[in-house]
Coordinates of all heavy atoms in Angstrom, one line a residue:
M25 N 99.0 57.5 118.7 CA 98.9 57.0 120.0 C 99.4 55.5 120.2 O 99.5 54.8 119.3 CB 97.3 57.1 120.4 CG 96.8 58.4 120.2 SD 95.8 58.9 121.6 CE 95.4 60.6 121.2
S26 N 99.8 55.3 121.4 CA 100.4 54.0 121.7 C 99.4 52.8 121.5 O 98.2 53.0 121.5 CB 100.9 54.0 123.2 OG 99.8 53.7 124.1
G27 N 100.0 51.7 121.3 CA 99.2 50.5 121.1 C 98.6 49.8 122.4 O 97.9 48.8 122.4
R28 N 99.0 50.3 123.5 CA 98.6 49.8 124.8 C 97.1 50.1 125.1 O 96.6 51.1 124.6 CB 99.4 50.4 126.0 CG 100.9 50.0 125.9 CD 101.6 50.4 127.2 NE 101.5 51.8 127.6 CZ 102.4 52.7 127.2 NH1 103.5 52.4 126.7 NH2 102.3 54.0 127.7
E29 N 96.5 49.3 125.8 CA 95.0 49.4 126.2 C 95.0 50.7 127.1 O 95.6 50.9 128.1 CB 94.5 48.3 126.9 CG 93.0 48.1 127.2 CD 92.2 48.1 125.9 OE1 92.7 47.5 124.9 OE2 91.1 48.5 126.0
P30 N 94.0 51.6 126.8 CA 93.9 52.9 127.5 C 93.2 52.6 128.8 O 92.2 51.8 128.9 CB 93.0 53.8 126.6 CG 92.4 52.9 125.7 CD 93.2 51.6 125.5
L31 N 93.6 53.3 129.8 CA 93.0 53.4 131.1 C 91.8 54.4 131.0 O 90.7 54.3 131.6 CB 93.9 53.9 132.2 CG 95.0 52.9 132.6 CD1 95.9 53.5 133.4 CD2 94.4 51.6 133.2
L32 N 92.0 55.5 130.1 CA 91.0 56.5 129.9 C 91.2 57.1 128.6 O 92.3 57.3 128.1 CB 91.3 57.6 130.9 CG 90.4 58.8 130.9 CD1 88.9 58.4 131.2 CD2 90.9 59.9 131.9
D33 N 90.2 57.3 127.9 CA 90.1 58.0 126.6 C 89.0 59.0 126.6 O 87.8 58.6 126.8 CB 89.9 57.0 125.5 CG 90.8 57.0 124.2 OD1 91.5 58.1 124.1 OD2 90.9 56.0 123.6
I34 N 89.4 60.3 126.6 CA 88.3 61.3 126.6 C 88.5 62.4 125.7 O 89.6 62.6 125.1 CB 88.2 62.0 128.1 CG1 89.6 62.6 128.4 CG2 87.8 61.0 129.2 CD1 89.4 63.5 129.8
A35 N 87.4 63.2 125.3 CA 87.4 64.3 124.6 C 86.8 65.4 125.2 O 85.8 65.2 126.0 CB 86.7 64.1 123.2
F36 N 87.2 66.6 125.1 CA 86.6 67.8 125.8 C 87.1 69.0 125.2 O 88.0 69.1 124.4 CB 87.1 67.8 127.3 CG 88.5 67.8 127.5 CD1 89.2 69.0 127.7 CD2 89.2 66.7 127.6 CE1 90.6 69.2 127.9 CE2 90.6 66.8 127.9 CZ 91.3 68.0 128.0
A37 N 86.3 70.1 125.4 CA 86.8 71.5 125.0 C 87.2 72.3 126.2 O 86.6 72.2 127.2 CB 85.6 72.2 124.2
A38 N 88.3 73.1 126.0 CA 88.8 73.9 127.1 C 89.5 75.2 126.6 O 89.9 75.2 125.5 CB 89.7 73.0 128.1
E39 N 89.5 76.2 127.5 CA 90.2 77.5 127.1 C 91.7 77.3 127.4 O 92.1 76.7 128.4 CB 89.6 78.5 127.9 CG 90.2 79.9 127.6 CD 89.6 81.0 128.5 OE1 88.6 80.8 129.2 OE2 90.2 82.1 128.4
V40 N 92.5 77.9 126.5 CA 93.9 77.9 126.7 C 94.2 79.1 127.7 O 93.7 80.2 127.5 CB 94.7 78.3 125.3 CG1 96.2 78.4 125.6 CG2 94.3 77.1 124.3
I41 N 94.9 78.6 128.8 CA 95.1 79.6 129.8 C 96.7 79.7 130.0 O 97.4 78.9 129.4 CB 94.5 79.2 131.2 CG1 94.9 77.8 131.6 CG2 92.9 79.3 131.0 CD1 94.4 77.4 132.9
H42 N 97.2 80.6 130.8 CA 98.5 80.6 131.1 C 98.9 80.9 132.5 O 98.0 81.3 133.3 CB 99.3 81.6 130.2 CG 99.2 83.0 130.6 ND1 98.1 83.8 130.5 CD2 100.2 83.8 131.3 CE1 98.3 85.0 131.0 NE2 99.5 85.0 131.5
W43 N 100.1 80.5 132.9 CA 100.6 80.8 134.3 C 101.9 81.5 134.1 O 102.8 81.0 133.3 CB 100.8 79.4 135.0 CG 101.5 79.7 136.3 CD1 101.0 80.1 137.5 CD2 103.0 79.3 136.6 NE1 101.9 80.1 138.5 CE2 103.1 79.7 137.9 CE3 104.0 79.0 135.8 CZ2 104.4 79.6 138.5 CZ3 105.3 78.8 136.4 CH2 105.3 79.2 137.8
R44 N 102.1 82.6 134.7 CA 103.3 83.5 134.5 C 104.2 83.0 135.6 O 104.0 83.2 136.8 CB 103.0 84.8 134.6 CG 102.4 85.4 133.4 CD 102.6 87.0 133.4 NE 101.9 87.6 132.3 CZ 102.5 87.8 131.2 NH1 103.8 87.6 131.1 NH2 101.9 88.3 130.2
G45 N 105.3 82.4 135.2 CA 106.5 82.2 136.1 C 107.6 83.0 135.4 O 107.3 84.1 134.9
P46 N 108.8 82.4 135.5 CA 110.0 83.1 134.8 C 109.6 83.2 133.3 O 110.1 84.2 132.6 CB 111.1 82.2 135.0 CG 110.8 81.4 136.2 CD 109.2 81.3 136.2
A47 N 108.9 82.3 132.7 CA 108.4 82.3 131.4 C 107.0 81.9 131.4 O 106.6 81.1 132.2 CB 109.2 81.5 130.5
P48 N 106.2 82.4 130.5 CA 104.7 82.0 130.5 C 104.6 80.5 130.0 O 105.3 80.1 129.2 CB 104.1 82.8 129.5 CG 105.1 83.5 128.5 CD 106.4 83.4 129.4
F49 N 103.8 79.7 130.7 CA 103.5 78.4 130.4 C 102.0 78.3 130.1 O 101.1 78.9 130.8 CB 103.8 77.4 131.5 CG 105.3 77.2 131.6 CD1 105.9 78.1 132.7 CD2 106.1 76.4 131.0 CE1 107.2 78.0 132.8 CE2 107.4 76.3 131.1 CZ 108.0 77.0 132.2
Y50 N 101.6 77.5 129.0 CA 100.3 77.5 128.5 C 99.6 76.1 128.8 O 100.3 75.2 128.7 CB 100.2 77.9 127.0 CG 100.5 79.3 126.7 CD1 101.8 79.6 126.7 CD2 99.6 80.2 126.6 CE1 102.2 80.9 126.4 CE2 99.9 81.5 126.3 CZ 101.3 81.9 126.2 OH 101.6 83.2 126.0
F51 N 98.4 76.1 129.2 CA 97.7 74.9 129.6 C 96.3 75.0 129.1 O 95.7 75.9 128.8 CB 97.6 74.8 131.1 CG 99.0 74.9 131.8 CD1 99.4 76.1 132.2 CD2 99.8 73.8 131.9 CE1 100.7 76.2 132.8 CE2 100.9 73.9 132.6 CZ 101.4 75.1 133.1
V52 N 95.6 73.7 129.2 CA 94.2 73.7 129.3 C 93.9 72.8 130.5 O 94.6 72.0 131.0 CB 93.6 73.0 128.0 CG1 93.7 73.8 126.8 CG2 94.1 71.5 127.9
A53 N 92.9 73.3 131.2 CA 92.4 72.6 132.5 C 91.5 71.5 132.2 O 90.5 71.8 131.3 CB 91.7 73.7 133.4
I54 N 91.7 70.4 132.7 CA 90.8 69.3 132.5 C 89.4 69.8 133.2 O 89.3 70.1 134.3 CB 91.3 68.0 133.3 CG1 92.6 67.6 132.7 CG2 90.2 66.8 133.0 CD1 92.7 67.4 131.2
P55 N 88.3 69.6 132.5 CA 87.0 70.0 133.0 C 86.6 69.3 134.3 O 87.0 68.1 134.5 CB 86.0 69.7 131.9 CG 86.8 69.5 130.7 CD 88.1 69.1 131.1
A56 N 86.0 70.0 135.1 CA 85.6 69.5 136.5 C 84.9 68.2 136.4 O 85.0 67.3 137.2 CB 84.9 70.5 137.3
D57 N 84.0 68.1 135.3 CA 83.2 66.9 135.3 C 84.0 65.5 134.8 O 83.4 64.5 134.8 CB 82.0 67.0 134.4 CG 82.3 67.3 133.0 OD1 83.4 67.7 132.7 OD2 81.4 67.1 132.2
R58 N 85.3 65.7 134.4 CA 86.1 64.6 134.0 C 87.2 64.3 135.0 O 87.9 63.4 134.9 CB 86.8 65.0 132.7 CG 85.9 65.4 131.6 CD 84.6 64.5 131.3 NE 84.8 63.2 130.9 CZ 84.8 62.8 129.6 NH1 84.5 63.7 128.7 NH2 85.0 61.6 129.2
I59 N 87.3 65.1 136.2 CA 88.3 64.9 137.2 C 88.3 63.6 137.8 O 89.4 62.9 138.0 CB 88.4 66.1 138.2 CG1 88.6 67.4 137.6 CG2 89.4 65.7 139.3 CD1 89.9 67.5 136.9
G60 N 87.1 63.1 138.1 CA 87.0 61.7 138.7 C 87.6 60.6 137.9 O 88.3 59.7 138.4
E61 N 87.3 60.7 136.6 CA 87.9 59.6 135.6 C 89.4 59.8 135.6 O 90.2 58.8 135.6 CB 87.4 59.9 134.2 CG 85.9 59.7 134.0 CD 85.4 60.4 132.8 OE1 85.2 61.5 132.6 OE2 85.2 59.4 131.7
V62 N 90.0 61.0 135.6 CA 91.3 61.2 135.4 C 92.1 60.7 136.8 O 93.0 60.0 136.7 CB 91.8 62.6 135.2 CG1 93.2 62.9 135.3 CG2 91.2 63.1 133.8
R63 N 91.4 61.0 137.9 CA 91.9 60.5 139.2 C 92.0 59.0 139.3 O 93.0 58.4 139.7 CB 91.1 61.0 140.4 CG 91.5 62.4 140.7 CD 90.8 62.7 142.2 NE 91.0 64.2 142.3 CZ 89.9 64.9 142.6 NH1 88.7 64.5 142.7 NH2 90.1 66.3 142.7
W64 N 91.0 58.3 138.7 CA 90.9 56.9 138.7 C 92.1 56.3 137.9 O 92.9 55.5 138.3 CB 89.6 56.3 138.1 CG 89.6 54.8 138.1 CD1 89.3 54.0 139.0 CD2 90.1 54.0 137.0 NE1 89.4 52.7 138.6 CE2 89.8 52.7 137.4 CE3 90.4 54.3 135.7 CZ2 90.2 51.7 136.6 CZ3 90.7 53.3 134.9 CH2 90.7 52.0 135.2
A65 N 92.3 56.8 136.7 CA 93.4 56.4 135.8 C 94.8 56.8 136.4 O 95.6 56.1 136.3 CB 93.2 56.9 134.4
A66 N 94.8 58.0 137.0 CA 96.1 58.5 137.6 C 96.6 57.5 138.7 O 97.8 57.5 138.9 CB 95.9 59.9 138.2
R67 N 95.8 56.9 139.4 CA 96.1 55.9 140.6 C 97.1 54.9 140.0 O 98.1 54.4 140.6 CB 95.0 55.2 141.2 CG 94.1 56.1 142.0 CD 93.0 55.4 142.6 NE 92.4 54.6 141.6 CZ 91.7 53.4 141.9 NH1 91.7 53.0 143.1 NH2 91.2 52.7 141.0
I68 N 96.9 54.5 138.7 CA 97.8 53.5 138.0 C 98.9 54.1 137.3 O 100.0 53.5 137.3 CB 96.9 52.6 137.2 CG1 95.8 51.9 138.0 CG2 97.7 51.6 136.3 CD1 94.7 51.2 137.2
A69 N 98.7 55.2 136.6 CA 99.6 55.7 135.7 C 100.6 56.8 136.1 O 101.6 57.2 135.5 CB 98.9 56.3 134.3
S70 N 100.2 57.5 137.4 CA 101.0 58.6 137.8 C 102.5 58.2 138.3 O 102.7 57.1 138.6 CB 100.3 59.4 138.8 OG 100.3 58.6 140.0
Y71 N 103.3 59.2 138.1 CA 104.6 59.1 138.7 C 104.9 60.4 139.4 O 104.2 61.3 139.4 CB 105.7 58.7 137.5 CG 105.7 60.0 136.5 CD1 106.7 61.0 136.7 CD2 104.9 60.1 135.4 CE1 106.8 62.1 135.9 CE2 105.0 61.1 134.5 CZ 105.9 62.0 134.7 OH 106.0 63.1 133.8
G72 N 106.0 60.4 140.0 CA 106.5 61.6 140.9 C 105.7 62.7 140.9 O 105.3 63.3 139.9
W73 N 105.4 63.3 142.1 CA 104.6 64.5 142.3 C 103.2 64.4 141.8 O 102.5 65.4 141.5 CB 105.2 65.8 141.9 CG 106.6 66.0 142.5 CD1 106.9 66.2 143.8 CD2 107.9 65.8 141.9 NE1 108.2 66.3 144.0 CE2 108.8 66.0 142.8 CE3 108.2 65.4 140.6 CZ2 110.2 65.9 142.6 CZ3 109.6 65.3 140.2 CH2 110.6 65.7 141.3
G74 N 102.7 63.3 141.4 CA 101.3 63.1 140.9 C 101.1 63.3 139.4 O 100.1 63.4 139.0
C75 N 102.2 63.5 138.8 CA 102.2 63.8 137.3 C 101.7 62.6 136.6 O 101.9 61.4 137.0 CB 103.6 64.2 136.7 SG 104.1 65.7 137.3
V76 N 100.9 62.8 135.6 CA 100.3 61.6 134.8 C 100.7 61.8 133.2 O 100.2 62.7 132.7 CB 98.7 61.7 135.0 CG1 98.0 60.6 134.3 CG2 98.4 61.9 136.4
P77 N 101.4 60.9 132.7 CA 101.7 60.8 131.3 C 100.5 60.6 130.5 O 99.7 59.8 130.8 CB 102.7 59.7 131.2 CG 102.5 58.7 132.3 CD 101.9 59.6 133.4
V78 N 100.4 61.4 129.5 CA 99.2 61.3 128.5 C 99.7 61.4 127.1 O 100.7 62.1 126.8 CB 98.2 62.5 128.8 CG1 97.6 62.4 130.2 CG2 98.7 63.8 128.6
E79 N 98.8 61.0 126.2 CA 98.9 61.2 124.8 C 97.7 62.1 124.5 O 96.6 61.8 125.0 CB 98.8 60.0 123.9 CG 100.0 59.0 124.3 CD 99.6 57.6 123.9 OE1 98.5 57.2 123.3 OE2 100.6 56.8 123.8
A80 N 97.9 63.2 123.8 CA 96.9 64.1 123.6 C 96.9 64.7 122.2 O 97.9 64.5 121.4 CB 96.9 65.3 124.5
S81 N 95.8 65.3 121.7 CA 95.8 66.0 120.4 C 94.9 67.2 120.6 O 93.9 67.2 121.3 CB 95.4 65.1 119.3 OG 94.0 64.8 119.4
V82 N 95.3 68.2 119.8 CA 94.5 69.5 119.6 C 94.6 69.8 118.1 O 95.7 69.8 117.5 CB 95.1 70.5 120.5 CG1 96.5 71.0 120.3 CG2 94.1 71.9 120.4
A83 N 93.4 70.0 117.5 CA 93.4 70.5 116.1 C 94.3 69.3 115.2 O 95.1 69.8 114.4 CB 93.9 71.9 115.8
D84 N 94.1 68.1 115.4 CA 94.8 67.1 114.8 C 96.3 67.1 115.0 O 97.0 66.5 114.2 CB 94.4 67.1 113.2 CG 93.0 66.8 113.0 OD1 92.4 65.9 113.8 OD2 92.4 67.4 112.1
V85 N 96.8 67.8 115.9 CA 98.3 67.8 116.2 C 98.4 66.8 117.5 O 97.9 67.3 118.6 CB 98.7 69.2 116.5 CG1 100.2 69.2 117.0 CG2 98.5 70.1 115.4
A86 N 99.0 65.7 117.3 CA 99.2 64.8 118.4 C 100.5 65.0 119.1 O 101.5 65.4 118.5 CB 99.2 63.4 117.8
F87 N 100.5 64.9 120.5 CA 101.7 65.1 121.3 C 101.6 64.3 122.4 O 100.6 63.8 122.9 CB 101.9 66.6 121.5 CG 100.8 67.2 122.3 CD1 100.9 67.5 123.7 CD2 99.6 67.6 121.7 CE1 100.0 68.1 124.4 CE2 98.6 68.3 122.4 CZ 98.8 68.5 123.7
T88 N 102.7 64.2 123.2 CA 102.8 63.6 124.5 C 103.2 64.6 125.5 O 104.0 65.5 125.2 CB 103.7 62.2 124.5 OG1 105.1 62.8 124.3 CG2 103.3 61.2 123.6
T89 N 102.7 64.4 126.7 CA 103.1 65.3 127.8 C 102.6 64.7 129.1 O 102.4 63.4 129.2 CB 102.3 66.7 127.6 OG1 103.0 67.6 128.5 CG2 100.8 66.6 127.7
A90 N 102.6 65.4 130.2 CA 102.2 64.9 131.5 C 101.3 65.9 132.1 O 101.6 67.0 132.3 CB 103.4 64.6 132.4
L91 N 100.2 65.4 132.6 CA 99.3 66.2 133.4 C 99.8 66.5 134.7 O 100.7 65.6 135.2 CB 97.9 65.5 133.6 CG 97.0 65.1 132.5 CD1 95.8 64.3 133.1 CD2 96.6 66.3 131.7
F92 N 99.6 67.6 135.3 CA 100.0 67.7 136.7 C 98.8 68.3 137.5 O 98.0 69.0 137.0 CB 101.4 68.4 136.8 CG 101.3 69.9 136.4 CD1 101.1 70.9 137.3 CD2 101.6 70.2 135.1 CE1 101.1 72.2 136.9 CE2 101.6 71.6 134.7 CZ 101.4 72.6 135.7
P93 N 98.8 67.9 138.8 CA 97.7 68.3 139.6 C 97.8 69.7 140.1 O 99.0 70.2 140.3 CB 97.8 67.4 140.9 CG 99.3 66.9 140.8 CD 99.7 66.9 139.4
K94 N 96.7 70.4 140.1 CA 96.6 71.8 140.5 C 95.3 72.1 141.2 O 94.3 72.0 140.4 CB 97.0 72.8 139.4 CG 96.9 74.2 139.9 CD 97.9 75.1 139.3 CE 97.9 76.6 139.6 NZ 97.6 76.9 141.0
D95 N 95.3 72.5 142.5 CA 94.0 73.0 143.1 C 92.9 71.9 143.0 O 91.8 72.3 142.7 CB 93.6 74.2 142.5 CG 94.6 75.4 142.7 OD1 95.3 75.3 143.8 OD2 94.6 76.3 141.9
G96 N 93.2 70.6 143.1 CA 92.2 69.6 143.0 C 91.7 69.1 141.7 O 91.0 68.2 141.4
G97 N 92.5 69.7 140.6 CA 92.1 69.4 139.3 C 93.5 68.9 138.6 O 94.5 68.7 139.2
Y98 N 93.5 69.1 137.2 CA 94.6 68.7 136.5 C 94.8 69.7 135.3 O 93.8 70.1 134.8 CB 94.7 67.3 135.9 CG 94.7 66.3 136.8 CD1 93.6 65.7 137.4 CD2 96.0 65.7 137.2 CE1 93.7 64.7 138.4 CE2 96.0 64.6 138.2 CZ 95.0 64.1 138.7 OH 94.9 63.1 139.6
L99 N 96.0 70.1 135.0 CA 96.4 71.0 133.9 C 97.2 70.2 132.9 O 98.0 69.4 133.2 CB 97.2 72.1 134.4 CG 96.6 73.2 135.3 CD1 97.6 74.3 135.7 CD2 95.3 73.7 134.7
L100 N 96.9 70.3 131.7 CA 97.4 69.7 130.5 C 98.4 70.8 129.8 O 97.8 71.7 129.2 CB 96.4 69.1 129.6 CG 96.9 68.3 128.4 CD1 95.9 67.3 128.1 CD2 97.3 69.0 127.2
P101 N 99.7 70.6 129.9 CA 100.6 71.7 129.2 C 100.4 71.6 127.7 O 100.3 70.6 127.1 CB 101.9 71.2 129.6 CG 101.8 70.2 130.7 CD 100.4 69.6 130.6
L102 N 100.5 72.8 127.1 CA 100.5 72.9 125.7 C 101.8 73.6 125.2 O 102.0 74.8 125.4 CB 99.4 73.8 125.1 CG 97.9 73.2 125.3 CD1 96.9 74.3 124.7 CD2 97.8 72.0 124.4
K103 N 102.7 72.7 124.7 CA 104.0 73.2 124.2 C 103.8 74.2 123.2 O 102.9 74.2 122.4 CB 104.8 72.0 123.7 CG 105.0 70.9 124.7 CD 105.6 69.6 124.1 CE 105.6 68.5 125.0 NZ 106.0 67.2 124.5
A104 N 104.9 75.1 123.1 CA 104.8 76.2 122.1 C 104.7 75.7 120.7 O 103.9 76.2 119.9 CB 106.0 77.1 122.2
A105 N 105.5 74.6 120.4 CA 105.4 74.1 119.0 C 104.1 73.4 118.7 O 103.6 73.7 117.6 CB 106.5 73.0 118.8
V106 N 103.3 72.8 119.6 CA 102.0 72.3 119.5 C 101.0 73.4 119.3 O 100.2 73.5 118.3 CB 101.7 71.4 120.7 CG1 100.1 71.1 120.6 CG2 102.6 70.2 120.8
R107 N 101.1 74.5 120.1 CA 100.1 75.6 119.9 C 100.4 76.3 118.6 O 99.4 76.6 118.0 CB 100.4 76.6 121.1 CG 99.9 76.3 122.4 CD 99.9 77.3 123.4 NE 101.3 77.7 123.7 CZ 101.9 78.8 123.3 NH1 101.3 79.7 122.7 NH2 103.1 79.0 123.8
K108 N 101.5 76.4 118.2 CA 101.8 77.1 116.9 C 101.2 76.3 115.8 O 100.5 76.7 114.9 CB 103.3 77.3 116.7 CG 103.6 78.1 115.4 CD 105.2 78.3 115.3 CE 105.4 79.0 114.0 NZ 106.9 79.3 113.9
Q109 N 101.6 75.0 115.7 CA 101.1 74.1 114.7 C 99.6 73.9 114.7 O 98.9 73.9 113.6 CB 101.7 72.8 114.8 CG 101.4 71.8 113.6 CD 102.2 70.5 113.7 OE1 102.9 70.3 114.7 NE2 101.9 69.6 112.9
A110 N 98.9 74.0 115.9 CA 97.5 73.9 116.1 C 96.8 75.2 115.8 O 95.5 75.3 115.7 CB 97.1 73.3 117.3
G111 N 97.5 76.3 115.8 CA 97.0 77.7 115.7 C 96.1 78.0 116.9 O 95.2 78.7 116.9
A112 N 96.6 77.5 118.1 CA 95.8 77.8 119.4 C 96.6 78.8 120.1 O 97.8 78.8 120.3 CB 95.8 76.5 120.2
D113 N 95.8 79.8 120.5 CA 96.4 81.0 121.3 C 95.7 81.2 122.6 O 94.6 80.6 122.9 CB 96.4 82.3 120.4 CG 97.4 83.2 120.8 OD1 98.1 83.1 121.8 OD2 97.5 84.3 120.1
L114 N 96.3 81.9 123.4 CA 95.7 82.3 124.8 C 94.3 82.8 124.7 O 93.9 83.6 123.8 CB 96.6 83.4 125.5 CG 96.1 83.9 126.8 CD1 96.3 82.8 127.8 CD2 97.0 85.0 127.3
G115 N 93.4 82.1 125.4 CA 92.0 82.5 125.3 C 91.1 81.8 124.3 O 89.9 81.8 124.5
D116 N 91.8 81.1 123.5 CA 91.0 80.2 122.6 C 90.4 79.0 123.2 O 91.0 78.5 124.2 CB 91.9 79.7 121.5 CG 92.3 80.7 120.4 OD1 91.9 81.9 120.5 OD2 93.3 80.4 119.6
T117 N 89.2 78.6 122.8 CA 88.6 77.4 123.2 C 88.9 76.3 122.2 O 88.7 76.5 121.1 CB 87.1 77.4 123.4 OG1 86.8 78.4 124.5 CG2 86.6 76.0 123.8
V118 N 89.6 75.2 122.7 CA 90.1 74.3 121.8 C 89.5 72.9 122.1 O 89.2 72.6 123.2 CB 91.7 74.2 121.8 CG1 92.3 75.4 121.3 CG2 92.1 73.8 123.3
A119 N 89.3 72.1 121.0 CA 88.9 70.7 121.2 C 90.0 69.8 121.4 O 91.0 69.7 120.6 CB 88.1 70.2 119.9
M120 N 90.1 69.0 122.5 CA 91.1 68.2 122.9 C 90.7 66.7 122.9 O 89.5 66.4 123.3 CB 91.6 68.5 124.3 CG 92.0 70.0 124.6 SD 93.6 70.4 123.7 CE 94.7 69.1 124.3
T121 N 91.6 65.8 122.7 CA 91.4 64.4 123.0 C 92.6 64.0 123.9 O 93.7 64.6 123.8 CB 91.5 63.5 121.8 OG1 92.7 63.6 121.1 CG2 90.2 63.8 120.9
M122 N 92.4 63.1 124.8 CA 93.5 62.8 125.7 C 93.3 61.2 126.1 O 92.2 60.8 126.3 CB 93.4 63.6 126.9 CG 94.5 63.4 127.9 SD 94.2 64.4 129.4 CE 93.1 63.4 130.3
R123 N 94.5 60.6 126.1 CA 94.5 59.2 126.5 C 95.6 58.9 127.6 O 96.6 59.5 127.5 CB 94.8 58.3 125.4 CG 95.0 56.9 125.7 CD 95.4 56.1 124.5 NE 94.0 55.9 123.7 CZ 93.8 55.3 122.6 NH1 94.9 54.8 122.0 NH2 92.6 55.2 122.1
I124 N 95.1 58.2 128.6 CA 95.9 57.7 129.6 C 96.2 56.2 129.5 O 95.1 55.5 129.4 CB 95.5 58.2 131.0 CG1 95.4 59.7 131.2 CG2 96.5 57.6 132.2 CD1 94.8 60.2 132.5
T125 N 97.3 55.7 129.5 CA 97.5 54.2 129.4 C 98.4 53.8 130.6 O 99.1 54.6 131.2 CB 98.3 53.9 128.1 OG1 99.5 54.6 128.0 CG2 97.5 54.2 126.9
A126 N 98.3 52.6 130.9 CA 99.0 52.0 132.0 C 100.5 52.0 131.7 O 100.9 51.8 130.5 CB 98.6 50.6 132.3
P127 N 101.4 52.2 132.7 CA 102.8 52.1 132.4 C 103.3 50.8 131.8 O 102.5 49.8 132.1 CB 103.5 52.4 133.7 CG 102.4 52.6 134.6 CD 101.1 52.4 134.1
G128 N 104.3 50.8 131.1 CA 104.7 49.5 130.6 C 105.0 49.5 129.2 O 105.4 48.8 128.4

């Protein structure tokens, strides 16, 4: 994780879900009880279309990605390589950590 002071550091468990477009994309939804904290940090860290850069981990696999807003909440994408390394599949409940830092 980056050396910058975090705006938000959280841990949560969530189910791996997917959205079918031209290719399936896999996500975990940020739990509803954490959305307020994410919105607060997003005011500082977000860029274009409300995307929020994050550092995250699942099953000790660290990665960077960007949250994006959906239906009043946020989805955290799980790249195929991350899911494979973490052994996370559709429908699994996974333990996540996530950090949002200020740009810079």
Side-chain angles (χ1 to χ4, degrees):
M25 302 231 174
S26 79
R28 295 189 306 261
E29 186 69 26
L31 296 169
L32 178 65
D33 228 338
I34 61 173
F36 59 92
E39 182 180 350
V40 177
I41 59 174
H42 80 281
W43 172 77
R44 281 194 185 271
F49 291 94
Y50 293 81
F51 305 92
V52 294
I54 304 303
D57 65 340
R58 306 313 290 265
I59 297 299
E61 296 168 276
V62 173
R63 280 193 190 124
W64 178 86
R67 293 180 312 147
I68 298 166
S70 71
Y71 63 91
W73 301 290
C75 293
V76 182
V78 300
E79 300 167 348
S81 69
V82 57
D84 295 325
V85 178
F87 61 101
T88 58
T89 190
L91 299 177
F92 64 90
K94 176 142 175 50
D95 300 329
Y98 290 91
L99 296 177
L100 188 154
L102 291 177
K103 302 170 189 174
V106 169
R107 284 186 297 105
K108 183 177 179 179
Q109 191 175 355
D113 205 354
L114 181 63
D116 290 348
T117 297
V118 294
M120 303 289 308
T121 61
M122 185 183 80
R123 174 176 284 178
I124 300 172
T125 56

